[in-house]
């Protein structure tokens, strides 16, 4: 996920993304940002954060934990915000969405 | 953007009891194997052997597969399990039924108690089938895996009904045919219809998931499904009416063709995998497929030389101790730690540092479990082939060590408590 420097909430989004890089996918043991699971982080003027993300597989048995991880992490970082997480499967997650670092951690060669 | 409900994890009691009892059954099975080295010289319908086979098929294989299926149905069908309570009731009936049935085989008491045991198992299986079918009906997703899993449940029901009739046949004859012929039909409805279809259904989803590989041969799964079911249906119908004849070979070839298509699919996943490093759990699971291949090679001999007992025993060992045991050993630490971890840590993830699921068991022991298991299987197969008492006594000792390692890890996971 890339953040536009012109974005009104550039600082908040950068801070949120950094915080989310500590949330791990328990199966792959790689953080969800490097895995490319976070699609969007939207901040609103009424102190609301809306995260759009996916899982590596639909029906992921650890989905609830990952979602809680995102909510808890953002709640620590932005204590006075209302946090909403939306799980989507379109576009479907693919290995190509991973960062080079994630690919390296998983020993993936293309 | 399409969204999906994510609270798909079943409750602990719908899954964990199956894993715990299956682990104990595996240990009991290996101990029985040690004390039954002589059984490999005799008839496969003798009480020792029937006890071992039913401990393997029900207490070990079916027990853990029920638990794993209840855990994985939401992943595969992408919907919640129909009923956690029904799953736990299934467990209670299966546990009670298996203990009664296996104990009565051991003491060779073929009367009312054995009928009660088989009846309880049948009730458990009916409940399992209902849970699978109702979960499948809730799911909007149509996939070949769904057909494999639902059909395997129906074949399990067929296997169980034949089993109940066989037990009743001990007291008052029901079948006009030789009961050993019906026993072969019962065994293969279970091995092919239940275990094979279920393993293909679940395996074709899990192998690509864990290896991060998409098989280019996905389209082979549908013909595989039709070939295996057609071959099995013909085998059972013809076998029931005319017994085992040369035609059995034709039906076997049809089933084997279906299995080969599945193995080609797995080979495709393996070849196209992105994750080049394969852990010991996946090595163990892939080894299971080799055992399946070796077992198939023995089938023509079983048909044309059914009195060649060493071949019958090698076949049975490759199926239960090889193929089924190996895939369970491989997949347990790929599935069990996650449901426990999810239950213990899901509410505190992100608030504090939590261990990863891999840290819930002794990961380094998995390598030794794999190596000792492989040695044990090699010794066991050679022991049966050569009819060597020494090897038939030493191989189970190694298998007992495997079962102890496995039990320690399973119970370490099950009883994991948060230290936070």
């Amino acid at each position: 996920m890339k953040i536009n420097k012109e974005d009104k909430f550039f600082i908040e989004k950068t801070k949120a993304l950094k915080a989310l890089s500590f949330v791990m996918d328990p199966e792959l043991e790689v953080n969800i940002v490097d895995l490319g699971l976070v699609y969007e982080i939207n901040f609103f003027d009424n102190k609301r954060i809306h995260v759009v993300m996916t899982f590596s597989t639909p029906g992921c048995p650890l989905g609830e934990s990952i979602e809680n991880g995102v909510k808890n992490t953002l709640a620590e970082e932005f204590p006075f915000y209302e946090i909403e997480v939306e799980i989507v499967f379109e576009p479907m997650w693919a290995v190509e969405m991973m960062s080079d670092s994630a690919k390296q951690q998983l020993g993936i060669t293309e | 953007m399409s969204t999906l409900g994510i609270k798909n994890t079943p409750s602990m009691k719908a899954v964990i009891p199956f894993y715990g009892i299956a682990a104990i059954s595996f240990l009991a099975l290996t101990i029985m194997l040690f004390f039954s080295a002589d059984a490999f010289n005799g008839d496969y319908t003798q009480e020792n052997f029937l006890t071992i086979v039913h401990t393997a098929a029900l207490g070990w294989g079916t027990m853990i597969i029920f638990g794993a299926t209840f855990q994985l149905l939401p992943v595969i069908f992408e919907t919640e399990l129909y009923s956690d309570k029904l799953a736990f009731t299934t467990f209670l009936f299966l546990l009670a039924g298996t203990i009664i049935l296996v104990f009565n085989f051991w003491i060779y008491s073929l009367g009312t108690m054995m009928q009660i045991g088989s009846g309880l198992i049948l009730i458990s299986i009916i409940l399992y089938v209902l849970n699978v079918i109702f979960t499948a009906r809730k799911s909007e997703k149509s996939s070949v895996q769904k057909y494999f899993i639902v059909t395997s449940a129906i074949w399990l029901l067929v296997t169980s009904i034949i089993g109940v009739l066989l037990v009743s046949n001990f007291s008052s004859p029901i079948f006009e045919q030789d009961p050993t012929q019906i026993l072969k039909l019962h065994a293969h409805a279970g091995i092919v219809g239940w275990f094979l279809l279920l393993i293909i259904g679940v395996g074709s989803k899990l192998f690509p998931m864990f290896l991060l590989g998409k098989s280019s041969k996905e389209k082979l799964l549908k013909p595989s499904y039709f070939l295996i079911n057609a071959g099995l249906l013909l085998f059972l119908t013809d076998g029931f009416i005319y017994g085992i004849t040369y035609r059995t070979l034709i039906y076997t070839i049809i089933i084997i063709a279906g299995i080969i298509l599945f193995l080609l699919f797995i080979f495709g996943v393996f070849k196209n995998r992105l994750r080049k490093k394969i852990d010991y759990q996946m090595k163990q699971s892939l080894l299971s497929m080799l055992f399946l291949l070796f077992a198939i090679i023995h089938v023509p001999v079983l048909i044309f030389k059914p009195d060649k007992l060493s071949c019958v025993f090698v076949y049975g060992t490759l199926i239960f101790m090889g193929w089924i045991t190996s895939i369970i050993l491989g997949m347990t630490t790929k599935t069990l730690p996650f449901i426990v971890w999810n239950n213990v840590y899901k509410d505190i993830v992100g608030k504090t540092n939590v261990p990863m699921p891999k840290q819930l068991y002794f990961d380094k022991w998995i390598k030794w479990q794999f190596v000792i298991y492989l040695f044990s299987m090699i010794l066991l197969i050679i022991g049966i082939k050569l009819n060597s008492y020494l090897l038939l006594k030493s191989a189970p000792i190694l298998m007992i060590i495997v079962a102890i390692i496995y039990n320690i890890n399973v119970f370490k996971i099950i009883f994991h408590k948060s230290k936070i």
Side-chain angles (χ1 to χ4, degrees), chain A residues 26-27 29 40 55 58-59 61-65 67-69 72-73 86-90 95 106-109, chain B residues 1-4 6-9 75 78 210 212 274-276 338 341-342 346-347 349-351 356-358:
Chain A
E27 207 278 304
E29 296 192 10
E40 288 173 27
F55 300 134
L62 298 167
E64 202 181 344
S65 296
E67 187 192 10
N68 285 347
N72 291 338
T73 303
E86 185 184 356
I87 308 298
V88 301
F89 290 96
E90 239 172 67
V95 172
L106 292 170
I108 290 174
T109 49
Chain B
M1 284 181 179
S2 76
T3 59
L4 195 81
I6 55 156
K7 289 170 182 64
N8 282 342
T9 319
V75 181
E78 294 178 18
F210 292 134
L212 290 179
L274 291 166
R275 227 174 179 174
K276 294 298 170 199
F338 294 93
W341 184 89
N342 198 54
K346 75 173 177 212
D347 293 327
V349 180
K351 286 182 182 168
M356 288 285 104
K358 229 182 196 171

